[in-house]
Amino acid sequence: MEPKKLAGEKAVDYIENNMVIGLGTGSTVYWTIRHLALRVKAGLHIKAIPTSMSTARLAEQLGIPLASFTEIDRLDLTIDGADEVSPDLNLIKGGGGALLREKIVAYASERLIIVADSSKQVASLGKFPLPVEITPFGWENTCKQVMLLGCESLTLREKDERPFVTDNGNYIADCKFGRIDSPDLLEKSLNAIPGVVENGLFVNMADQVIIGTEKGTNIVEK
Ligand code: DER
């Protein structure tokens, strides 16, 4: 069986009737959304806030009732993927370009469950380039400021040979910092730079990680 599918589907076990659920973005949480839609068809009553327009489209197509922060201020549970997971459950996210809405939704949630395959588990964060969402205005200078924080190299993410633009109209800089020993400090230093909107370090946010393997799933908790 596909490890990502096993992890994604297992997360649905934690969804109860009348919950408000944050739906993440990416190829692992895709399976969560598919499986959740079956439970909704079978009568499960939930509302969901999507973390990207692509997740919103998928959820809508599958008949999952959507909500927004107009009527919701707290969510019961958010389920999302990650690009790296450290032993203390700190994360690098943003490979899918949805980090800003993912962090807003996760921050408004009582619990955050991450679904991933074992390739995402790392001894320390930083092998995966850290995605940093920046405004298009002044992006060149913002990137120079990010480099001063010890970034070894930085790439402005592109799509079809143009800068990739997020759902929020911003750019993404993929930043190689090498091993990140103090993710809490780096997260704060990055967000202190005018022009940085948010970054992909999710520190002390995940409550549980469901790791999919060839044989099944392993649950990792703090
Ligand atoms: O952008 C993100 O953080 C997404 O959750 C994504 O990177 C997760 O990766 P996946 O597609 O391997 O699940």
Side-chain angles (χ1 to χ4, degrees):
M1 272 281 268
E2 154 76 27
K4 286 191 171 187
K5 185 171 189 286
L6 286 171
E9 292 183 350
K10 178 70 182 170
V12 177
D13 292 356
Y14 295 86
I15 299 176
E16 295 165 15
N17 215 38
N18 296 321
M19 275 190 169
V20 179
I21 303 295
L23 295 180
T25 297
S27 60
T28 310
V29 77
Y30 164 82
W31 296 108
T32 306
I33 296 168
R34 286 271 304 257
H35 201 56
L36 174 58
L38 296 178
R39 297 279 307 281
V40 168
K41 277 196 181 64
L44 181 72
H45 183 261
I46 55 107
K47 281 183 182 176
I49 296 185
T51 56
S52 63
M53 293 197 258
S54 61
T55 288
R57 281 193 296 274
L58 176 64
E60 210 156 22
Q61 280 161 12
L62 295 174
I64 295 175
L66 295 184
S68 75
F69 285 111
T70 307
E71 70 267 21
I72 301 283
D73 52 21
R74 287 299 286 170
L75 295 88
D76 297 294
L77 169 64
T78 284
I79 300 168
D80 203 347
D83 298 297
E84 285 189 341
V85 181
S86 71
D88 48 5
L89 303 197
N90 288 326
L91 314 171
I92 285 185
K93 284 176 58 55
L99 69 95
L100 176 58
R101 296 191 185 190
E102 289 175 332
K103 202 181 261 192
I104 291 169
V105 170
Y107 191 75
S109 303
E110 290 303 315
R111 282 174 58 77
L112 172 62
I113 292 179
I114 296 298
V115 290
D117 65 19
S118 54
S119 72
K120 307 299 182 74
Q121 290 182 287
V122 294
S124 57
L125 298 177
K127 189 155 178 279
F128 189 91
L130 177 62
V132 179
E133 184 153 344
I134 61 177
T135 58
F137 176 81
W139 71 267
E140 303 90 338
N141 188 54
T142 302
C143 289
K144 290 189 183 105
Q145 298 303 318
V146 169
M147 293 292 284
L148 292 176
L149 293 180
C151 174
E152 294 156 7
S153 70
L154 176 154
T155 308
L156 192 74
R157 190 178 297 184
E158 291 193 351
K159 184 177 179 184
D160 306 330
E161 293 173 15
R162 297 173 61 84
F164 169 81
V165 179
T166 69
D167 287 348
N168 318 296
N170 297 314
Y171 292 163
I172 296 265
D174 290 305
C175 308
K176 289 182 179 167
F177 281 96
R179 200 178 75 185
I180 300 172
D181 292 320
S182 305
D184 52 343
L185 292 182
L186 182 56
E187 181 190 24
K188 290 181 176 61
S189 304
L190 282 165
N191 283 358
I193 300 170
V196 171
V197 178
E198 190 49 81
N199 67 82
L201 287 169
F202 284 51
V203 179
N204 293 325
M205 294 185 77
D207 296 289
Q208 187 178 75
V209 178
I210 300 175
I211 297 292
T213 68
E214 296 301 328
K215 299 193 188 69
T217 56
N218 298 324
I219 308 290
V220 183
E221 289 180 323
K222 272 185 193 161

